[in-house]
Amino acid sequence: MTFHLNLLIAGAFLTFGSRAIGASPVDAKDPDPGETAWHVFADKCAECHHPSSAEKKTKFRYVLDLRRVADNAHLVVPFEPEKSRLWRLVRDGEMPPDDARYGPLSPGQKQAIHDWIACGAPAPLGQAAAHPAPALPVDDVAPSFPVHALHWLGKFHVLVIHFPIALFAAAALAELWAMLRRSTRPGAVVRYCVALAAGGAVVAAVLGWSRVSFGGYHAGAAALNLHRWLGTLVGALAVVVVVASERDARANIRTFRFQAMLFACATLVAATAHFGGILVQGADYFSW
């Protein structure tokens, strides 16, 4: 009797245990994580990242081609979500942006993307190409000329911003050299660089806001918020610095007040440029 009871228990253990051991965690959770992730991308991301999207500001326009997304090492590291920039953008709420038409991802949708990367970022079993492209919203009214013009002008922000970066750095170095030489007279080079840098900083700040408001980088990113507000602060401080520079030039004396403001402005410019670089190259750009 005892023998038969033990045999029955052993048989049950082997039967159910083998099923539990043989079952894949991913399969038990989602038989096709690629299919699930594809639908999340189609519902929430194709608005901007699709070949037929009206958004022209992004080079990432193949979000529904999961094989191509998975092959992009800059975005996805298969089996390692925490090392994947795509997951970090989703996890931190930077994508989709705050102004996305279809709203943010739900916790379940975020988890679907995480699980898709964690199981190797596979393509849907039914092939992504077999899926019809999602219907994308089309604006009935074309943007007005002023809006279109501001959008276009905002693109010059990237060009103009390099002038205050270089000029404030040059002015700070020249002023530091004068301090080491114990000079008490304002330098013509410093005055010239500060004047040009201040003008460039104000123009760059205005163009930066236009870039954000009329089709530039998404305003939901934390790096963008730091970049644009620091840039605004630099534009305001640059005006104060150039006024102080002109006062010192007319009095023909170098003041500590001007020097402190110049070095502070140069430091803020460097910080602003750093966050601007993150927007373009990603937070892991300097990873060793």
Side-chain angles (χ1 to χ4, degrees), residues 249-288:
R250 292 179 182 181
N252 197 28
I253 187 170
R254 190 182 305 273
T255 63
F256 174 76
R257 178 181 58 185
F258 164 73
Q259 292 171 337
M261 289 191 296
L262 173 60
F263 292 135
C265 196
T267 302
L268 284 174
V269 167
T272 305
H274 169 70
F275 287 108
I278 287 178
L279 291 176
V280 177
Q281 303 295 343
D284 56 349
Y285 181 65
F286 284 105
S287 297
W288 186 258

Side-chain angles (χ1 to χ4, degrees), residues 194-206:
V194 165
L196 288 182
V202 172
V203 173
V206 173

Side-chain angles (χ1 to χ4, degrees), residues 45-56 58-65 68 133-134 136:
C45 307
E47 174 187 355
C48 297
H49 302 289
H50 188 273
S52 60
S53 171
E55 300 288 343
K56 304 300 182 185
T58 176
K59 296 180 181 179
F60 177 48
R61 302 173 65 81
Y62 50 87
V63 70
L64 299 185
D65 186 347
R68 189 174 176 187
L136 299 176

Side-chain angles (χ1 to χ4, degrees), residues 183-218:
S183 173
T184 60
R185 297 287 181 262
V189 172
V190 175
R191 182 183 180 188
Y192 177 78
C193 288
V194 165
L196 288 182
V202 172
V203 173
V206 173
L207 293 177
W209 277 94
S210 176
R211 180 75 172 144
V212 171
S213 302
F214 297 98
Y217 296 105
H218 291 303

